[in-house]
Amino acid sequence: MKYYLLSVMQPVTDELPAPEVLAEIGRDLDVFHQELRQAGAWVFAGGLHGPESSTVLRPRADDVLITDGPYAEGKEMLGGICLIKAPDLDAALAWGRKAALATTLPIEVRPFMGEAED
């Protein structure tokens, strides 16, 4: 088994979907997370605040420079993550597909180095 990171790629915008749309996405995510748990693939999941809430720490000589916000601006941001266990990339991609359908957003699937702990 390997760990895979399912990254939710969210558009950078101040406009939120209608409350009923967000409620439906929330229900779909609950179903997806429950399915992960039942399959033994669940490790962790959570949403993130917007990039404006981040702090970046950069090494500078013998010190660390602390700045607000992300290093680069973009049209998408990391909106949430889900860490799963899967036997191979095909299985992880199948979970990623379900995550994309639940969130209605692009999902990046990326393997961790090494094997998952059992």
Side-chain angles (χ1 to χ4, degrees):
M1 289 285 227
K2 292 187 75 69
Y3 287 122
Y4 290 88
L5 179 65
L6 308 182
S7 300
V8 180
M9 304 311 297
Q10 185 172 325
V12 176
T13 180
D14 291 332
E15 297 178 33
L16 292 175
E20 60 274 7
V21 173
L22 285 176
E24 182 177 351
I25 291 170
R27 287 189 299 274
D28 290 345
L29 274 174
D30 288 343
V31 169
F32 171 65
H33 292 160
Q34 187 59 35
E35 189 176 349
L36 282 168
R37 286 183 181 96
Q38 290 172 346
W42 171 267
V43 177
F44 172 82
L48 298 170
H49 289 282
E52 70 282 353
S53 68
S54 67
T55 304
V56 179
L57 295 96
R58 286 187 189 80
R60 291 284 192 256
D62 292 334
D63 200 5
V64 175
L65 175 65
I66 300 173
T67 59
D68 291 337
Y71 177 70
E73 291 187 24
K75 294 183 180 183
E76 290 183 328
M77 67 176 186
L78 180 61
I81 63 168
C82 184
L83 181 61
I84 64 167
K85 287 191 291 187
D88 54 37
L89 179 59
D90 288 338
L93 291 174
W95 287 117
R97 184 178 192 284
K98 290 181 181 198
L101 292 171
T103 63
T104 70
L105 293 168
I107 303 294
E108 176 186 332
V109 177
R110 187 182 300 189
F112 277 74
M113 294 181 190
E115 296 296 313
E117 298 173 8
D118 289 328

